[in-house]
Amino acid sequence: MSRLGASIRDVARETGLSTATISRVVNGGTRVSEETRKRVLDACARLDYLPNPAARALSTRRSKVVAAIIPTIEHSVFAKFIAAIERTLGLRGYSLVLAISNSDEAEELAAARKLLGMGADAFILSGQTHSGALLNMLAKRQVPYAHTSVWDPDSTCPTVGYDNAGLAKEAVKHLHSHGHRNVAIVHGPLVESDRTQARCDGARSLHGLFDTLDFFETPLSVAGGKACVGRTLADGGGYSAYLCFSDVLALGAYFACADAGKRIPQDVSVMGFDNLDWAAEVVPPLTTIDLPAFGMGEAVGAQIVECLETNAPLQSQLLPARIIQRGSVARLT
Amino acid sequence: MSRLGASIRDVARETGLSTATISRVVNGGTRVSEETRKRVLDACARLDYLPNPAARALSTRRSKVVAAIIPTIEHSVFAKFIAAIERTLGLRGYSLVLAISNSDEAEELAAARKLLGMGADAFILSGQTHSGALLNMLAKRQVPYAHTSVWDPDSTCPTVGYDNAGLAKEAVKHLHSHGHRNVAIVHGPLVESDRTQARCDGARSLHGLFDTLDFFETPLSVAGGKACVGRTLADGGGYSAYLCFSDVLALGAYFACADAGKRIPQDVSVMGFDNLDWAAEVVPPLTTIDLPAFGMGEAVGAQIVECLETNAPLQSQLLPARIIQRGSVARLT
DNA sequence: TGTTCAAATGTAACCGGTTACACAGCGCAC
DNA sequence: GTGCGCTGTGTAACCGGTTACATTTGAACA
């Protein structure tokens, strides 16, 4: 850490002023004459002075670092989310420290401990279920935190995200309105994600609309989706539509269909969830639900900074998400 | 930052020892009797004591934070790389702060400034070309840094990655050995990436082997690859193979072929670069070059920590990468 | 001219750790 | 018994900022 950088006393010496004055101009600069301000800024530039962050953090008791713990970064929804957080925080002079929990509560707790011990001022968590120890630790130290990718107006903790159950219902209704009565739902591991669980719950609540509504759990990857859909195709499951709770799984479904010689949407329909970048490019273009990953990152980031600067309480926030109709769902007549 | 947490003096008071002793047991614990160690650890647990990181950083002049600046996180090669760094650093008690430069030198410089002003002990940069101001800033403060995704034994700065030019040559040779003489190379924006530039240079050096070896620049996305390949297909370019300098572009090529009614590999061959997770799942499976994204993250992470702890100099390191033959390249006879 | 007040700047305590150095106590060799 | 060395612990300076409070200066005003 700037072992060789100039310190505030160097600047003070250089300008013949006191460290207090230097500090004042470096921050906001209240109560400093225009002339000294210039002189100080000039000296700072000449000495290439950068305030020592540790010293500043020690004094002010804030590090301007916010921590995000996410289950994985390899899913592009999370990548976009992180990119948005980084950008939003950066614009406001905050930094992002990242930890990856691999969807494991113990790892998440360990990560939080490390990040707290690193000086994070606030936390951004994924999903709604976390170990009590984690929440306790944050509460005891009064570190603000938000849950993301979920929206739950009843939660005691602020949640910023979307209504997973509601969106799943809409997706299911969409298929129903297109005449589908035999639908397979393909989703990632339930234990790893309360959001997946919420989507399944939402979908299941509408099972009365269908002749069959089956649920299949598979690893959350293209390979997982392909294997799962390939299996049901081979079994002759007879589903007219596959609703995948991630575009990644949907892409796997596409390849499974290609392997099985089934055409989309003529032979089977496929619907996704996420609206990843390539969803409009696949052949046929994928009907999916547009999740505001980037907007969600911006929203939490902005709220967290606001909270840190003004002590405004974090508030739950519902982000808009909607079905994007493209060409992968057939209308059965 | 733990506004309410116990301080080292609280623990000292609780145990009736001095802060020096507490500090000694909390760190490594040299020269402390087994009995006091127990007493201290016990008190720490009871008070839920976490050392204040700012105070520690101020004293030791190290923050145990390493910064990574990457062009984008939305490309899964980078996501994997970041995941590996995070994991490797985390295992050793270090944290990762992330900044995204959007492939822009000015943004990169600003990010580095911010991260330095945040107390990063070391930097991980992408690629080899960076603004002089950035490198100066790091050098002046003696902050160690490494370039990644490249390997250049002649560079004065340590590079850990792979030989982009060499790998491109191998890819081109692979196509040549399969009888392809009319090849199109599809790559992302040159200005954004010296690695892309190196790959192009490598490929171009072998142009004598071909009847035609054309280069096409397109946005680095599925849409970009699809549009680019779609265009040449419509133009009747007559290429027997497309070498895409990213699997993402190759996926676009797949969709362009689907749209144009061309079969892979019967009508055109496609080769990728990256070996992303889904490369084995697409139909037909994609022949590509396996880049050790995860291994690269582990390697830099480990080296950086080693350097920080023992002052060992960072060393350039070549990571193995090789062609994975699958089904997307036809052998022309 | 003396008083009042605001603006500009300085002084020094403080944030919470680390660590060089001092020192006490003890065992051991001579 | 003296001296030496080793172990375990305490003392206090220090890291580099911030900021409450003190001080100086000068203008305004009676």
Side-chain angles (χ1 to χ4, degrees), chain A residues 222-223 226 252 255 259, chain B residues 247 251 254 274-288 290 324-328:
Chain A
V222 174
K226 185 180 179 185
F255 296 132
D259 269 350
Chain B
D247 282 358
L251 187 58
Y254 270 55
D274 287 345
N275 193 29
L276 301 185
D277 290 333
W278 43 259
E281 312 299 331
V282 297
V283 181
L286 179 66
T287 291
T288 188
D290 182 52
I324 309 283
Q325 291 198 43
R326 290 197 270 243
S328 63

Side-chain angles (χ1 to χ4, degrees), chain B residues 8-9 20 23 27 49 55-56 59:
Chain B
I8 200 174
R9 325 222 185 229
S23 177
N27 313 317
Y49 167 68
R56 173 177 281 175
S59 259

Side-chain angles (χ1 to χ4, degrees), chain A:
Chain A
M1 171 179 343
S2 50
R3 286 183 278 294
L4 301 188
S7 82
I8 200 173
R9 324 223 186 228
D10 295 326
V11 182
R13 197 171 320 117
E14 176 86 2
T15 54
L17 294 163
S18 73
T19 62
T21 302
I22 310 301
S23 176
R24 280 190 276 259
V25 351
V26 170
N27 314 318
T30 46
R31 303 187 151 267
V32 204
S33 75
E34 198 49 40
E35 195 228 321
T36 43
R37 160 207 264 12
K38 286 236 171 61
R39 201 146 52 97
V40 170
L41 256 19
D42 186 62
C44 286
R46 207 158 353 115
L47 298 178
D48 194 18
Y49 167 67
L50 270 188
N52 180 313
R56 173 176 283 175
L58 183 54
S59 258
T60 61
R61 290 140 169 275
R62 351 207 64 177
S63 64
K64 291 208 159 203
V65 168
V66 352
I69 307 181
I70 57 173
T72 173
I73 199 179
E74 294 180 43
H75 190 303
S76 94
V77 155
F78 285 110
K80 266 212 157 58
F81 175 55
I82 287 299
I85 296 177
E86 196 277 331
R87 181 151 199 283
T88 306
L89 293 179
L91 254 24
R92 293 164 169 75
Y94 282 70
S95 298
L96 170 70
V97 276
L98 191 64
I100 298 167
S101 70
N102 297 308
S103 302
D104 179 303
E105 276 206 359
E107 276 195 55
E108 188 185 49
L109 178 59
R113 204 166 188 80
K114 186 187 77 171
L115 297 179
L116 213 45
M118 234 222 51
D121 283 342
F123 277 73
I124 296 173
L125 305 174
S126 273
Q128 209 170 179
T129 54
H130 303 281
S131 74
L134 168 56
L135 267 22
N136 268 341
M137 193 164 68
L138 297 180
K140 178 180 293 185
R141 293 186 166 70
Q142 299 197 342
V143 175
Y145 61 90
H147 300 301
T148 59
S149 302
V150 291
W151 179 73
D152 176 1
D154 302 328
S155 167
T156 55
C157 315
T159 54
V160 3
Y162 27 77
D163 175 10
N164 288 285
L167 290 172
K169 279 195 218 176
E170 281 190 41
V172 159
K173 279 190 218 156
H174 180 76
L175 292 175
H176 181 265
S177 74
H178 278 60
H180 295 276
R181 294 295 178 273
N182 296 284
V183 169
I185 288 183
V186 180
H187 60 81
L190 289 175
V191 290
E192 288 185 3
S193 166
D194 53 8
R195 288 128 284 158
T196 299
Q197 181 68 64
R199 291 175 196 178
C200 287
D201 291 346
R204 204 184 319 269
S205 71
L206 261 33
H207 86 279
L209 298 175
F210 297 87
D211 295 339
T212 57
L213 183 68
D214 293 341
F215 291 77
F216 296 95
E217 178 167 325
T218 189
L220 187 49
S221 64
V222 174
K226 185 180 179 185
C228 176
V229 172
R231 224 176 294 124
T232 70
L233 250 21
D235 287 356
Y239 303 107
S240 68
Y242 288 88
L243 170 56
C244 300
F245 280 159
S246 164
D247 283 358
V248 166
L249 296 174
L251 188 58
Y254 270 56
F255 296 132
C257 289
D259 269 350
K262 301 276 186 185
R263 292 162 308 158
I264 303 170
Q266 295 89 337
D267 302 327
V268 285
S269 294
V270 174
M271 185 168 175
F273 215 105
D274 287 345
N275 194 28
L276 301 185
D277 291 334
W278 43 259
E281 313 298 333
V282 297
V283 180
L286 180 66
T287 291
T288 187
I289 292 189
D290 182 52
L291 292 187
F294 203 89
M296 187 169 73
E298 291 180 317
V300 238
Q303 268 213 57
I304 290 267
V305 171
E306 177 75 10
C307 164
L308 254 16
E309 312 251 276
T310 71
N311 247 314
L314 258 15
Q315 300 197 318
S316 284
Q317 191 172 346
L318 174 64
L319 289 132
R322 63 179 214 294
I323 294 178
I324 309 282
Q325 290 198 41
R326 290 198 270 244
S328 63
V329 174
R331 184 178 291 281
L332 305 183
T333 47

Side-chain angles (χ1 to χ4, degrees), chain B residues 189-243:
Chain B
L190 289 175
V191 290
E192 289 185 3
S193 166
D194 54 7
R195 288 128 285 157
T196 299
Q197 181 70 63
R199 291 175 197 180
C200 287
D201 291 347
R204 205 184 318 269
S205 72
L206 261 34
H207 85 280
L209 298 175
F210 297 87
D211 295 338
T212 56
L213 183 68
D214 293 340
F215 291 77
F216 296 94
E217 178 168 325
T218 191
L220 186 50
S221 63
V222 174
K226 184 180 179 186
C228 177
V229 172
R231 224 176 295 123
T232 71
L233 248 23
D235 288 357
Y239 303 107
S240 68
Y242 288 87
L243 170 56

